[in-house]
Amino acid sequence: MDRILRATAGDGFIKMSAVSARETVQRAKDIHHCTPTTAAALGRTLCAASMLGNMMKEDDGSLTIRINGGGPIGSVIAVSDSAGFVRGYVTNPGVELPLRPDGKLNVGGAVGRDGMITVSRDIGLKEPYIGSTQLVSGEIAEDLTAYMLESEQIPAACGLGVLVDTDMSIKSAGGFIVQLMPGAPDELIDKLEENITMMDALTTVLAEDGLETVLEQVLKGLEHHIVGEDEVGYRCKCSRERVASAILGIGAEELKKMIDEGKDVDVSCQFCDTVYTFTPDDISKLLEQAKND
């Protein structure tokens, strides 16, 4: 089961979320036929979106992260609801690059850093809240840290990781976000920085010890309390009704041409690759319903 843990520490000056998302990232990898590198890029972004979405207070809110750094992967998109359930895709999931000199996947090279990270929050108002900052490295965790400081004025530390096993399955995936509240004492900040520098590799901790150990290592020496736990996963919200509504958006004239051609129309969901087929008769009925509504 994939899940998020939320904790506070340092007399409330520290808020932390941590997610374990192996099954979520495996599902995304399978749906989109990702290479190890694109699975890592998409997986990290899904983990970040899940944690940020889970922090939203609005029950029906949603959060979207868009990353485009000009690299061969194209855009990376991840959408979360306010519970932390996510969906996402990459433009070019088949991209694979040689490993970095340190033996790690070259996510930064695939994503690029000549571009922006954009976070939009839809909380039911007319317009979503949108913030963007320049990418720092394309490795995603550093980019999200910079975004939170520059765009939302929240000092934060972020770790994200995806470990691909020798059989190309996802061995572990997850992340953490630590936020500092205004007035946090310097010694707290110093202790956090030391802990994060000294902690074991995030994906190793998740694979071998579990999510609670991530909290324990990041907040080592700081009294902390777990204040929430939620199950999360990969969940697409597409439906035949939503796709039908999108088809109507093409316009009556274009739809009549489709009917005249007499061919079925296949519409594939970007997030889950489900294919919805509409026959000419289906499209005629949609047009008729639209007239009567």
Side-chain angles (χ1 to χ4, degrees):
M1 181 185 78
D2 290 346
R3 59 200 176 103
I4 284 177
L5 287 176
R6 297 186 306 281
T8 60
D11 294 325
F13 283 114
I14 296 169
K15 286 185 178 179
M16 178 174 175
S17 288
V19 65
S20 176
R22 187 193 69 78
E23 291 175 20
T24 300
V25 177
Q26 183 66 59
R27 175 108 171 88
K29 181 180 186 294
D30 291 344
I31 288 170
H32 300 297
H33 309 292
C34 292
T35 65
T37 302
T38 59
L42 178 57
R44 291 179 192 179
T45 310
L46 288 168
C47 290
S50 182
M51 288 185 287
L52 291 178
N54 184 260
M55 292 175 192
M56 296 177 75
K57 295 177 176 65
E58 298 77 18
D59 289 341
D60 57 351
S62 69
L63 177 139
T64 303
I65 299 178
R66 289 181 176 83
I67 297 171
N68 192 318
I73 201 174
S75 294
V76 188
I77 312 285
V79 182
S80 176
D81 64 17
S82 55
F85 285 90
V86 288
R87 59 195 187 275
Y89 65 91
V90 295
T91 310
N92 301 311
V95 168
E96 187 60 292
L97 298 180
L99 296 176
R100 297 184 336 197
D102 61 4
K104 294 184 177 179
L105 295 169
N106 190 3
V107 173
V111 172
R113 57 183 181 186
D114 184 18
M116 309 292 286
I117 176 171
T118 301
V119 178
S120 61
R121 288 179 172 83
D122 187 344
I123 57 173
L125 303 175
K126 282 185 178 179
E127 297 292 331
Y129 168 79
I130 301 174
S132 294
T133 54
Q134 185 74 31
L135 289 170
V136 177
S137 68
E139 294 285 340
I140 300 170
E142 295 156 323
D143 304 304
L144 185 64
T145 300
Y147 164 81
M148 293 184 76
L149 182 59
E150 292 174 31
S151 189
E152 302 194 1
Q153 283 76 54
I154 299 172
C158 179
L160 298 165
V162 174
L163 181 62
V164 181
D165 212 339
T166 50
D167 65 357
M168 298 300 156
S169 66
I170 302 300
K171 187 170 184 179
S172 67
F176 66 83
I177 296 174
V178 187
Q179 300 178 63
L180 288 166
M181 299 299 105
D186 288 345
E187 57 266 26
L188 268 186
I189 299 169
D190 293 343
K191 181 62 177 164
L192 267 180
E193 287 178 348
E194 179 189 337
N195 287 350
I196 292 168
T197 301
M198 297 301 292
M199 76 180 289
D200 299 326
L202 173 63
T203 51
T204 304
V205 177
L206 287 167
E208 296 179 3
D209 304 303
L211 189 57
E212 282 78 5
T213 305
V214 175
L215 285 174
E216 287 163 12
Q217 290 201 6
V218 173
L219 301 176
K220 185 179 179 183
L222 301 168
E223 187 181 344
H224 66 275
H225 308 279
I226 293 175
V227 295
E229 178 176 1
D230 292 301
E231 184 179 342
V232 295
Y234 194 99
R235 180 185 290 172
C236 188
K237 295 189 174 181
C238 72
S239 67
R240 189 171 177 84
E241 290 73 24
R242 286 190 175 202
V243 174
S245 179
I247 286 175
L248 283 172
I250 295 171
E253 196 172 319
E254 201 62 37
L255 291 176
K256 282 171 185 170
K257 283 183 190 174
M258 291 180 181
I259 294 166
D260 291 341
E261 286 174 5
K263 295 177 182 175
D264 291 352
V265 176
D266 290 333
V267 182
S268 177
C269 173
Q270 283 180 306
F271 293 108
C272 69
D273 275 358
T274 299
V275 177
Y276 296 91
T277 300
F278 291 81
T279 65
D281 189 44
D282 291 333
I283 296 170
S284 294
K285 286 175 182 172
L286 286 177
L287 274 174
E288 198 59 41
Q289 284 173 7
K291 283 180 194 171
N292 296 329
D293 286 347

